[in-house]
Amino acid sequence: MTDILGEDMDIPQDRDYAAEIPSVAAKEAPVEKSPLFKKIDDALMNKVALFNNSYARYAARSMLATLFLTLGTAAAFGTAIQAEKFLPGSGKFTFAFMFSWSLVMIIFMGAELGTSNMLFMTVGVYRKKLKFSKAAKILGTTLLFNLIGGIIFAYMVSLTGPFQDLPAGNYLFTGIAAKLSKSSIQIFVEAIFANVIVNTAFFINLRMKDDAGKVMAIIFVIFIFAFLGYEHVIANFPAFSLAFFASHGTIPGMTLVSVIHNLFFALIGNYVGGGLLIGMTYAWLNRTKTSYVD
């Protein structure tokens, strides 16, 4: 084409101007999925697949959780009992440190823990990955076999040397008696914080890549709730059982009613802390079109 001065004008004839205008679809395209919740979804689907295909194997993994928890609890109480002999008041520190290894074993050995599954199942229902009925069955199964494992393995540990002929005022017996004397509201609130801490440790485990870093992070995070004496319903399964068997049922205040009272309010509080305060909150936070995801 020639302009009015007779000079040629270089006008591209094949330029696609429409392609330069962002489409409505492009503007509304969802942001990249949260890397953290991608891992949570994958872990959830593994749990569901195992539950659907082999109930026995799922039950076994649930019992393994309290095997490791029982061993960690026994080591924690055992070291606390010995520490108190040399330095009164030090048992609380040694207990918290040794107990922290329980979750390390549970995570690295692929066991199923009821308090972490409170988060997974709640998130799964909220994100429409599974139905409420299925989530309830999986969580109920986990809790049931955590309980069975806790009782069986605690009884076996009570037959070992460190828990034979313990004196009446030892750290294990006095600690359990104190747990059973707590009020309903104290148990409930402490249980909320306990499972906030436990599921924070699970989040850290999913986000970190280095195994050594995971171990250190888990130990120091779990130390918080163990040192503060917060209530964790699954940890109480073997703790109460071990104290009962080792004391031959002589702990003051330990009755069926007091045990059920503690476990009930710890269970409810743990669900609020892990399932709602951490699980539901972070699932909602990551259900966003912004780039601010975990």
Side-chain angles (χ1 to χ4, degrees), residues 69-256:
L69 196 51
T70 301
L71 291 172
T73 299
F77 277 119
T79 54
I81 290 170
Q82 295 303 315
E84 286 290 324
K85 293 179 181 179
F86 297 101
L87 182 62
S90 63
K92 192 172 185 179
F93 293 90
T94 59
F95 174 88
F97 176 74
M98 293 305 300
F99 178 82
S100 301
W101 288 93
S102 300
L103 193 64
V104 174
M105 291 188 283
I106 289 170
I107 289 176
F108 278 79
M109 297 301 287
E112 290 293 323
L113 185 67
T115 42
S116 61
N117 277 352
M118 291 175 182
L119 178 147
F120 283 105
M121 298 305 135
T122 301
V123 168
V125 172
Y126 178 78
R127 289 164 62 85
K128 299 180 180 179
K129 302 296 180 180
L130 74 167
K131 294 182 178 179
F132 175 83
S133 58
K134 175 65 70 175
K137 288 178 183 178
I138 295 174
L139 180 56
T141 297
T142 312
L143 293 170
L144 173 62
F145 285 96
N146 283 168
L147 173 60
I148 293 172
I151 295 172
I152 292 174
F153 296 124
Y155 173 71
M156 294 173 66
V157 168
S158 74
L159 302 176
T160 63
F163 296 95
Q164 299 294 308
D165 303 318
L166 292 175
N170 70 80
Y171 191 90
L172 169 60
F173 295 170
T174 57
I176 296 304
K179 279 179 171 289
L180 295 173
S181 66
K182 293 178 181 179
S183 66
S184 302
I185 187 62
Q186 182 179 354
I187 296 169
F188 175 71
V189 174
E190 289 184 354
I192 292 174
F193 288 124
N195 214 20
V196 165
I197 294 167
V198 168
N199 282 289
T200 297
F202 268 89
F203 268 33
I204 291 171
N205 172 68
L206 291 173
R207 299 189 71 161
M208 293 183 70
K209 295 181 179 180
D210 179 68
D211 285 345
K214 289 181 180 182
V215 170
M216 294 302 295
I218 292 167
I219 289 172
F220 284 108
V221 170
I222 298 302
F223 183 94
I224 298 171
F225 110 72
F227 179 78
L228 294 174
Y230 289 161
E231 297 296 326
H232 185 275
V233 66
I234 312 300
N236 285 350
F237 289 164
F240 289 166
S241 300
L242 179 58
F244 176 80
F245 293 127
S247 70
H248 305 288
T250 60
I251 294 179
M254 177 173 264
T255 65
L256 181 61

Side-chain angles (χ1 to χ4, degrees), residues 252-269:
M254 177 173 264
T255 65
L256 181 61
V257 172
S258 65
V259 169
I260 292 175
H261 170 261
N262 178 284
L263 295 179
F264 174 78
F265 285 100
L267 175 65
I268 302 303

